[in-house]
């Protein structure tokens, strides 16, 4: 087991080494404004049996949980995903293994029944680095995970800090859990949003190598355009009693397009065909990108099954142009365009659209037409559906020959990265909310059948259909009897 | 997708009744076939060209979404794949084959546009052919100019022209059904059997015509070569044997053979997806997006997991009973021998009215038969009554469409009572009209 704790300050912020107190098992210092990232790396043998048994059977499993709050991202932790619970999954040789029951228990999911029923398949022919399956569901809170972890990962002899540290996940903005057969290790990374954190970290156990970093981005002169530089103080608890200053650079695929931001909202009235409008503060590509001409603005959506995009509608260039969209780059195949939500098993669909920004100007909008499924009836006649904000980014091609080896802060398997080439750099636009609730989720009110008024439907339909039927039968009998007795005779006379 | 069109579309009023004393423009128009068919063709050409213009210039498309399904399927076929590789393709492969030219690309923009529209041209031509057959059937009981007047209801009907030029295949059914009726009345039984088998393969519903046609084909139309041996109280087996006339056997065998051969070959070609999409889907379908059917609300309610099924009468499970009793048994039995065309109209009307799904495209199924009934209908004898019926039919639809608009575009929960009540209202109007149609056959001898 290894642990890495990193406090990421904003560029230019730093802390004097003398302000830190380091001893064999703890580090402490003043409060700093930073993003905190904790990363725990575990070997398969260190895991609870149930989890170990599951992971031994899978090839890749990546969980990406994102809080729905509006949080500022700090370089280099810039990758964005729509808020909610994402799972990217590749089964092992035994495809009958079902991760759903365990995931459901751990995270409190409600729509994961099995890969065959609930997951969608991802294209693996485009780029080899993507997983084969995807699953998503909105998940506002990690409380289920925290409770599960407390009871399973904090045994009675565990350090006192185990339970409180898990509790602090209530305030986390991201939780990533990654496993693949190549590394044979499980990596759990949690992120707390930019705020004031007390600089304190304690060794979980003497056997755990614990590394603590207090870093911020730097801009040395030798920095290349596709790289990020980090400077700060690193300490390995128990190995040294003073922090060592450090400066290193690495290529990064996720960058920030700040100050450009976007907001997302449904146009009113929504009806059964709601249109999600993205308002983007500027149409110009990120100036810091080495070759802005290669940049294309994209929006990546994970749409729960209550709504769906229509690939045919999104394939017409004229229609797309009228919505300030350029092209449909990816859509989950096989989306049912008719079925009600309550008979749909798959989680929903993902959608990658290329947007069409104007050549110049200020704030502009793009519209994404969606369609609601029928939802189950309710006592009010309405239900609410939630659509998370998309990830909006400029995808720019790095120069020929640029390589992006996995960097210490890299976040991969975020859904859209598998739809682009390995040289693509993502310049993320910050999502902002207009409603002021700070929630990166768009709600839509869905009209459904009102159960309170449905008392007469069953009997009423039966009676009306029955009466209609009897009326026609009555008329038919009238003709039948008239024809049987009189008309035939008259007709015969006429013919004679 | 069963999404009823959002605009109310109505049958046109019956043409004026007053017989012209002096040869008016109208008389000249109907005196010869050319003016009518030429204007029907030009009418459709204008719609077609307008559609091309709208598609090229507006994000709101004229072309029906179904046409894109057909043409996508045709493209799959042209690449040696199955038409069922196209999701929501729920038709016979024959349709995709017919539209193969639409998948052809030459590189010339104008030519490609024409090729892509060739399916619509085919549907429009089918419209014209259906109108021509309609005239031929009408001419059996009236002068050709008079027959053409009534055929105008179909030929110059904007609703019919719109549907076919938007690329909906319902017009093909029109020509098939009219050809079937014409062949039967002309006593071309083998041809009729081929048409019946093919129509059922194409769209299932024409199977309702089989019992009517079989019942109609009695000895008065097909006199036996030898008169029946004894007239006094024949025994049941004799009766059954007498019912199995060569003509009836011929029709049954030809149609069944056609139907089976087509289905077997399609199954061999495309396997289970053919069966699933073309036929089984209609049994298991759960898409109950709002449509005109009186069962719509009930289907929504009973399909939902939030309603306990034990509390409901399982109406939707027996909905086929009134529908099939009327359209395949009672109406044929009572009306077929008195007036076969009106019988087919009443059957189709009841089939659509009592169906579990009903969209405005289905109205075309009976619209083609309407001109055959109108000339001797009480709606035509008393135009006020006719306009009243037409008005009610339009009004009931408009009321439903208004509720549908509020739901679909304004997001108001109008399922109850709005859509349910207006759906039942429209159903009521349809039942009343059906009653009038049925009663109009009273007093008629066999035709």
């Amino acid at each position: 087991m290894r642990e890495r704790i990193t406090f990421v300050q904003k560029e230019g912020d730093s802390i004097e080494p003398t302000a830190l107190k380091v001893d064999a098992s703890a580090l402490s210092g003043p409060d700093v404004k930073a993003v905190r990232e904790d990363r725990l790396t575990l070997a398969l043998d260190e895991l609870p049996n149930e989890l170990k048994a599951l992971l031994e059977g899978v090839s890749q499993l990546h969980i990406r949980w994102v809080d729905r709050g509006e949080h500022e991202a700090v370089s280099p932790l810039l990758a964005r995903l729509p808020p909610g619970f994402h799972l990217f999954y590749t089964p092992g040789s035994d495809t009958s293994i079902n991760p759903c029951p365990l995931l459901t228990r751990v995270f409190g999911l409600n729509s994961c029944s099995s890969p065959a029923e609930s997951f969608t398949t991802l294209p693996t022919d485009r780029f080899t680095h993507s997983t084969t399956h995807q699953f998503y569901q909105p998940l506002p809170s990690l409380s289920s995970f925290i409770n599960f972890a407390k009871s399973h990962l904090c045994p009675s002899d565990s350090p006192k800090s185990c339970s409180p540290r898990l509790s602090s996940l209530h305030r986390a903005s991201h939780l990533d859990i990654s496993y693949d057969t190549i590394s044979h290790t499980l990596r759990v990374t949690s992120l707390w949003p930019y705020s004031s954190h007390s600089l304190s970290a304690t060794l979980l156990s003497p056997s755990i190598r614990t590394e603590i970093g207090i870093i911020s981005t730097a801009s040395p002169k030798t920095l290349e355009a596709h790289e990020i530089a980090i400077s700060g103080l690193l300490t390995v608890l128990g190995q040294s009693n003073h922090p060592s200053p450090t400066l290193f650079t690495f290529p990064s695929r996720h960058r920030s397009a700040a100050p450009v931001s976007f907001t997302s909202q449904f146009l009113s009235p929504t009806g059964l065909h709601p249109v999600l409008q993205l308002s983007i503060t500027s149409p110009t590509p990120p100036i810091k990108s080495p070759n802005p001409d290669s940049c294309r603005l994209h929006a990546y959506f994970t749409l729960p099954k209550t709504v769906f995009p229509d690939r045919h509608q999104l394939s017409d260039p004229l229609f797309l142009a009228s919505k300030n969209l350029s092209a449909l780059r990816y859509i989950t195949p096989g989306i049912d365009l008719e079925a009600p939500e309550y008979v749909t098993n798959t989680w929903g669909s993902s959608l990658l659209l290329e947007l069409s920004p104007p050549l110049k100007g200020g704030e502009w909008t793009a519209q994404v037409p969606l369609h609601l499924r029928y939802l189950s009836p309710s006592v009010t006649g309405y239900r609410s559906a939630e659509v998370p904000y998309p990830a909006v980014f400029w995808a720019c091609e790095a120069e020929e020959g640029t390589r992006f080896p996995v960097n210490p802060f890299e976040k991969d398997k975020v859904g859209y990265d598998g739809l682009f080439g390995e040289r693509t750099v993502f310049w993320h636009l910050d999502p902002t909310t207009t409603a002021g609730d700070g929630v990166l989720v768009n709600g839509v009110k869905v009209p459904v059948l009102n159960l309170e008024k449905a008392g007469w439907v069953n009997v009423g339909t039966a009676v009306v259909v029955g009466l209609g039927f009897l009326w026609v039968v009555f008329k038919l009998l009238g003709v039948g009897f008239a024809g049987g007795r009189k008309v035939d005779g008259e007709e015969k006379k006429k013919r004679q | 997708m069963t999404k009823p069109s959002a605009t109310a579309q109505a049958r046109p009023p019956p043409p004026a009744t007053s017989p012209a004393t002096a040869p008016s423009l109208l008389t000249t128009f109907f005196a010869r076939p050319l003016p009518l068919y030429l204007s029907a063709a030009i009418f459709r050409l204008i719609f077609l060209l307008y559609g091309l213009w709208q598609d090229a210039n507006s994000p709101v498309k004229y072309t029906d979404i179904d046409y894109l399904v057909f043409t996508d399927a045709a493209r799959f076929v042209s690449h040696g794949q199955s038409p069922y590789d196209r999701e929501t393709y729920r038709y016979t492969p024959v349709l995709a084959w017919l539209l193969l030219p639409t998948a052809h690309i030459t590189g010339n923009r104008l030519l490609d546009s024409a090729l892509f529209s060739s399916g619509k041209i085919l549907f429009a031509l089918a419209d014209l052919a259906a109108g021509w057959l309609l005239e031929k059937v009408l001419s059996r009981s009236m002068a050709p100019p008079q027959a053409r007047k009534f055929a105008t209801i179909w030929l110059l009907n904007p609703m019919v022209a719109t549907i076919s030029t938007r690329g909906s295949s319902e017009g093909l059914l029109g020509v098939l059904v009219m050809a079937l009726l014409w062949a039967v009345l002309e006593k071309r039984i083998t041809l009729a059997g081929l048409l019946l088998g093919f129509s059922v393969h194409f769209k299932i519903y024409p199977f309702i015509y089989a019992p009517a046609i079989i019942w109609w084909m009695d000895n008065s139309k097909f006199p036996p070569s030898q008169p029946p041996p004894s007239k006094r109280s024949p025994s049941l087996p004799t009766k059954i044997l007498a019912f199995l006339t060569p003509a009836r056997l011929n029709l049954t065998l030809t149609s069944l053979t056609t139907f089976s051969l087509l289905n077997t070959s399609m199954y061999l070609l495309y396997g289970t997806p053919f069966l699933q999409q073309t036929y089984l889907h209609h049994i298991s379908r759960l898409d109950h997006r709002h449509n005109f059917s009186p069962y719509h609300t009930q289907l929504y309610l009973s399909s939902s997991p939030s309603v306990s099924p034990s509390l409901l009468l399982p109406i939707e499970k027996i909905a086929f009973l009134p529908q099939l009793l009327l359209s395949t048994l009672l109406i044929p039995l009572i009306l077929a021998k008195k007036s076969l065309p009106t019988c087919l109209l009443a059957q189709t009307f009841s089939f659509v009215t009592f169906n579990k799904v009903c969209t405005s495209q289905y109205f075309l199924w009976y619209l083609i038969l309407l001109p055959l009934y109108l000339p001797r209908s009480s709606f035509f004898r008393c135009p006020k009554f006719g306009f009243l019926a037409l008005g009610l039919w339009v009004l009931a639809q408009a009321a439903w469409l208004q509720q549908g608009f509020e739901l679909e575009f304004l997001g108001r929960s109008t399922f109850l009572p709005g859509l349910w009540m207006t759906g039942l209202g429209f159903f009521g109007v349809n039942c009343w009209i059906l009653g009038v149609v049925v009663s109009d056959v009273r007093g008629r001898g066999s035709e």
Side-chain angles (χ1 to χ4, degrees), chain A residues 174-493:
Chain A
H174 293 75
L175 177 71
D176 296 351
I177 300 177
S178 274
Y179 172 80
D180 64 67
T181 37
I182 297 166
S183 67
H184 261 284
T185 53
L186 185 76
R187 223 168 57 186
V188 183
T189 311
S190 50
L191 213 67
W192 287 265
Y194 187 75
S195 66
S196 188
H197 292 277
S198 72
L199 264 184
S200 70
T202 322
L203 207 59
L204 274 175
S205 131
S207 62
I208 300 175
R209 181 194 142 95
T210 303
E211 185 186 53
I212 298 157
I214 300 145
I215 59 164
S216 61
T217 35
S219 324
K221 282 181 183 149
T222 52
L223 193 67
E224 291 197 45
H226 63 281
E227 289 179 329
I228 282 183
I230 291 295
S231 71
L233 304 169
L234 289 187
T235 310
V236 178
L237 289 183
Q239 284 188 4
S240 66
N241 51 11
H242 58 88
S244 31
T246 182
L247 172 72
F248 57 100
T249 63
F250 51 83
S252 177
R253 296 189 71 196
H254 295 280
R255 307 292 290 269
S256 167
V260 185
S261 67
F262 77 97
T263 180
S264 149
Q265 61 184 343
F266 279 112
L267 292 180
S268 179
T270 45
L272 292 179
H273 309 280
V275 174
L276 195 66
Q277 175 164 285
L278 304 177
S279 308
I280 296 155
T281 54
S282 162
T284 40
I287 35 168
K288 278 190 269 176
S289 166
N291 44 348
D293 290 345
S294 75
C295 298
R296 298 283 176 272
L297 187 61
H298 289 78
Y300 176 77
F301 298 83
T302 47
L303 301 167
K305 61 186 173 186
T306 46
V307 294
F308 64 91
D310 180 351
R311 68 159 69 229
H312 307 293
Q313 187 183 29
L314 291 172
S315 301
D316 174 49
L318 264 178
F319 181 79
L320 287 171
S322 75
K323 308 284 178 202
N324 278 345
L325 307 172
S326 335
L328 172 63
R329 291 294 174 215
Y330 177 74
I331 186 166
T332 299
I335 302 170
D336 193 313
L337 304 178
E338 296 159 341
E341 180 264 345
Y342 46 86
V343 298
T344 310
N345 290 322
T346 44
W347 64 268
S349 54
S350 56
L351 172 70
L352 178 68
L353 289 172
E354 187 184 318
L355 312 184
S356 176
L359 289 174
K360 54 185 178 188
E363 178 158 328
W364 62 285
T365 62
Q367 291 85 34
V368 181
L370 299 171
H371 307 275
L372 284 169
R373 289 187 194 285
Y374 266 31
L375 308 187
S376 153
S378 81
V379 287
T380 57
Y382 295 93
R383 279 182 188 276
S384 60
E386 290 192 328
V387 175
Y389 268 47
V392 179
F393 50 83
W394 289 91
C396 306
E397 282 301 293
E399 276 167 43
E400 198 78 43
T402 314
R403 291 183 61 81
F404 291 95
V406 175
N407 74 54
F409 298 99
E410 174 91 343
K411 177 145 149 176
D412 63 349
K413 306 293 183 296
V414 287
Y416 51 87
D417 54 349
L419 305 172
F420 289 91
E422 307 230 6
R423 276 197 296 121
T424 309
V425 179
F426 306 101
W427 296 78
H428 293 274
L429 275 62
D430 288 331
T432 53
T433 57
T434 45
D437 54 358
V439 171
L440 298 176
V441 171
N442 292 117
V444 56
K445 193 169 151 192
V446 186
V448 298
L449 191 142
N450 187 331
L451 277 177
E452 298 241 291
K453 300 181 188 169
W456 286 99
V457 167
N458 190 230
V459 175
T461 307
V463 167
V464 172
V465 172
L467 284 176
F469 174 72
L470 288 178
W471 167 256
V472 180
V473 170
F474 171 72
K475 287 286 167 184
L476 276 168
L477 289 179
V479 175
F481 281 115
R485 275 179 276 146
K486 285 180 194 166
V487 183
D488 267 4
E490 281 170 19
E491 284 291 317
K492 274 172 198 162
K493 272 178 209 164

Side-chain angles (χ1 to χ4, degrees), chain A residues 144-173:
Chain A
S144 177
F145 172 80
I146 294 164
N147 291 338
F148 182 90
K150 276 185 189 168
S151 58
H152 288 76
L153 302 177
C154 293
S156 48
D157 61 336
S158 68
K160 272 184 285 178
S161 59
C162 184
S163 183
R165 280 193 71 182
L166 283 169
S167 286
S168 70
L169 282 173
H170 279 298
R171 296 186 304 276
S173 60

